Amino acid sequence: MFALVDCNNFYASCQRVFEPHLIGKPVVILSNNDGCVIARSNEAKVLGVPMGAPAFEYKKLFEDNNVFVFSSNYALYGDMSSRVMNILSTFSPDIEVYSIDEAFLKFQGFEKFDLQEYGITIQRSVTKGTGIPISVGFAPTKALAKVANKIAKKFPEKTKSVYIIDTEEKRIKALKWTKIEDVWGIGRKHAKRLQNSKVTNAFQFTQLTDEWVRREMSVVGLRLKHELQGKPTLNLEVAKDKKMIATTRSFDKMHTKIEDISERVATFTASCAEKLRRQNSHCNMVMVFVHTNGFRKDQPQYSRNIVIKTDFPTNSTIELNHYAQIGLNQIFKEGYHYKKAGVIVMGLTPNNETQLSLFSASNPKHQPLMSVVDKLNKSIGQTKVRFASQSMGRQWKMKQEKLSASFTTKLKDVIQIHL
DNA sequence: TCTGGGGTCCTAGGGCGA
DNA sequence: TCTGTCGCCCTAGGACCC
């Protein structure tokens, strides 16, 4: 049996833990730059705030309905997430942290257990330990556990937020209830294609022939079909090193000069390099991209990316920025209003497995320098130590007008209780 | 005026050596 | 020497996830 544990409206719930007056009120969380809505409480969903809604379009609705609006606070969410995962890992040795707010747990040898009771115990422990409400779905496969979880979340009173698919009858009933576009692994494109073929729920999907599914949706679709039929094809995944690392941002306003973009690219590269070193990896490719604002149909559009191969594997900020700037210079075109840029490092290898180059090598002085920079930034606060290519004078600030305190990760933000 | 960010996996098609 | 075939590797693009 697998269980999928999912935190309810995770970001909104994190805010509520420290501001309990928000319970029962509509709450939304905005993306970086306070751009779009990326999380909503149930009350906000009822008001008709869709996922991904541009914040400026809904400003009036927020004001009219006293919606509490927050900028995203990843320090808080990340810390709360690890607390939830720590508690979950006490219930099964086999756990896959699937995302910031979800985890799969595997239960082998639990046949004699009353899973409904066990699920409720899990749920109470997490809520008691963190204040975050969760839903639990049990089923013989991961895809069915996702379905079970959705039912638990949709009918909290009836299910006590725990639902188990453990009979053929329950499986078929659950699949008939699940709309095809809500199935895990079926995105917009496939949902549309399936609907055109008169497949509107998950049960109908499982009735398609293997050949059709294989042809139209590749082995990924076929695996999903088998999973929904109750035949396990997916197991828990072990945490692996990343295969690429990206830092990309939209700008608060549009930029036309290469000096401005160049500074941003230097900062993004520094961030990628720092993440690389944290993962104990080197990379041998750097991709740089720039975009104009696709929403401004009145302006000329331009977007390009370029991949630069490094001469040797490296994780030095200085060396990587050298390549990133070469890339930027090749793709930057005058006369456009740029809204977004990013740096992605690829071709990652662990530090101890890097391929040496015959003719050139990473500057040996960089390693100790980088480790000092990382240490300093860790002890005195992120990005306090910067490279000259990252402008010191100018303040690039993300729009974060509604940022809450970092209640669990900054000493000065810890809530004080005076007795 | 204002529309996020960071990932993974799979397939098709071309280059290339055996 | 020329040609066909196979398999491997790489890349671009598409689809998906949160």
Side-chain angles (χ1 to χ4, degrees):
Chain A
M1 271 293 198
F2 289 94
L4 176 69
V5 179
D6 191 317
C7 301
N8 302 345
N9 313 319
F10 182 57
Y11 295 171
S13 299
C14 288
Q15 302 292 157
R16 282 177 169 169
V17 170
F18 299 94
E19 295 184 64
H21 67 92
L22 298 171
I23 294 170
K25 311 262 172 61
V27 177
V28 300
I29 319 301
L30 305 182
S31 63
N32 279 352
N33 263 327
D34 291 348
C36 345
V37 174
I38 54 164
R40 306 153 295 159
S41 70
N42 287 342
E43 297 77 10
K45 289 176 191 171
V46 169
L47 287 173
V49 182
M51 189 67 165
F56 72 91
E57 281 181 10
Y58 283 81
K59 203 169 169 208
K60 181 149 188 337
L61 186 143
F62 295 158
E63 284 167 6
D64 292 350
N65 295 281
N66 298 317
V67 176
F68 291 83
V69 181
F70 291 92
S71 305
S72 26
N73 184 342
Y74 289 108
L76 176 65
Y77 311 147
D79 183 65
M80 292 303 286
S81 171
S82 62
R83 291 172 191 227
V84 170
M85 300 307 167
N86 276 338
I87 294 174
L88 290 181
S89 60
T90 63
F91 287 93
S92 168
D94 300 316
I95 176 169
E96 171 192 340
V97 177
Y98 180 69
S99 73
I100 195 163
D101 73 330
E102 270 177 70
F104 285 103
L105 283 80
K106 196 169 176 181
F107 292 101
Q108 261 171 336
F110 282 64
E111 290 74 20
K112 298 261 178 350
F113 274 63
D114 178 343
L115 286 178
Q116 179 75 33
E117 275 307 309
Y118 202 58
I120 291 172
T121 308
I122 295 175
Q123 188 217 21
R124 285 194 184 140
S125 306
V126 171
T127 309
K128 186 175 174 207
T130 64
I132 302 285
I134 60 167
S135 305
V136 187
F138 286 98
T141 70
K142 287 170 91 175
L144 283 172
K146 271 270 189 184
V147 173
N149 183 283
K150 203 151 246 174
I151 294 172
K153 199 175 261 187
K154 182 82 182 173
F155 306 104
E157 277 91 33
K158 228 168 159 181
T159 62
K160 296 185 181 155
S161 298
V162 177
Y163 192 72
I164 306 163
I165 296 178
D166 54 356
T167 65
E168 244 334 70
E169 199 189 341
K170 282 163 106 177
R171 182 182 73 86
I172 290 168
K173 198 174 165 197
L175 291 186
K176 286 185 174 166
W177 174 81
T178 305
K179 286 190 242 154
I180 192 67
E181 63 268 30
D182 293 339
V183 175
W184 180 48
I186 302 218
R188 268 208 305 271
K189 292 279 167 78
H190 286 326
K192 199 156 186 195
R193 194 176 309 165
L194 287 162
Q195 283 156 352
N196 289 339
S197 307
K198 305 269 180 286
V199 174
T200 57
N201 66 43
F203 179 73
Q204 292 166 337
F205 174 65
T206 62
Q207 301 302 296
L208 293 168
T209 64
D210 280 4
E211 293 69 36
W212 191 94
V213 177
R214 175 72 178 78
R215 190 177 64 244
E216 301 291 327
M217 302 174 65
S218 85
V219 292
V220 184
L222 193 55
R223 263 184 227 145
L224 176 62
K225 181 190 157 187
H226 293 157
E227 281 267 312
L228 292 173
Q229 288 175 320
K231 302 175 221 161
T233 58
L234 305 173
N235 213 328
L236 292 191
E237 307 234 345
V238 284
K240 285 175 274 188
D241 277 351
K242 289 202 172 72
K243 298 180 175 177
M244 49 171 272
I245 289 173
T247 304
T248 72
R249 290 286 180 280
S250 296
F251 310 140
D252 55 342
K253 58 183 172 100
M254 291 189 270
H255 291 284
T256 52
K257 289 195 292 234
I258 193 166
E259 304 85 72
D260 290 336
I261 316 273
S262 158
E263 188 281 331
R264 293 281 70 199
V265 164
T267 300
F268 299 158
T269 308
S271 158
C272 283
E274 199 267 323
K275 292 180 200 170
L276 260 182
R277 297 193 290 270
R278 211 183 311 152
Q279 181 181 291
N280 293 317
S281 296
H282 283 59
C283 73
N284 61 22
M285 282 178 272
V286 189
M287 178 165 115
V288 184
F289 71 81
V290 290
H291 280 308
T292 50
N293 187 349
F295 291 100
R296 291 291 298 268
K297 303 292 180 209
D298 56 320
Q299 292 181 339
Q301 297 295 318
Y302 174 69
S303 97
R304 243 195 101 182
N305 69 62
I306 189 168
V307 177
I308 305 283
K309 289 204 163 129
T310 64
D311 299 318
F312 41 83
T314 175
N315 59 19
S316 151
T317 301
I318 298 167
E319 285 162 355
L320 286 171
N321 189 42
H322 166 73
Y323 293 106
Q325 297 298 331
I326 290 175
L328 175 65
N329 275 293
Q330 290 186 32
I331 59 174
F332 182 87
K333 266 207 217 165
E334 292 284 348
Y336 289 99
H337 292 80
Y338 293 94
K339 177 65 179 169
K340 184 170 177 166
V343 173
I344 303 174
V345 291
M346 302 179 298
L348 271 48
T349 43
N351 284 352
N352 53 7
E353 287 175 25
T354 51
Q355 177 89 40
L356 298 176
S357 167
L358 191 55
F359 301 109
S360 47
S362 193
N363 185 332
K365 289 182 180 167
H366 287 191
Q367 284 308 322
L369 174 62
M370 294 303 138
S371 76
V372 169
V373 169
D374 290 342
K375 267 189 203 141
L376 282 172
N377 277 335
K378 200 173 170 197
S379 63
I380 60 175
Q382 274 209 314
T383 68
K384 284 280 191 301
V385 181
R386 288 186 280 180
F387 291 85
S389 46
Q390 306 167 244
S391 161
M392 297 290 163
R394 131 159 239 193
Q395 280 299 308
W396 289 90
K397 219 166 155 36
M398 194 158 58
K399 194 173 158 198
Q400 280 186 314
E401 289 174 353
K402 320 266 186 189
L403 187 62
S404 59
S406 297
F407 301 102
T408 61
T409 51
K410 271 191 196 152
L411 207 49
K412 72 172 180 56
D413 289 349
V414 172
I415 292 176
Q416 297 180 26
I417 299 171
H418 300 276
L419 296 170

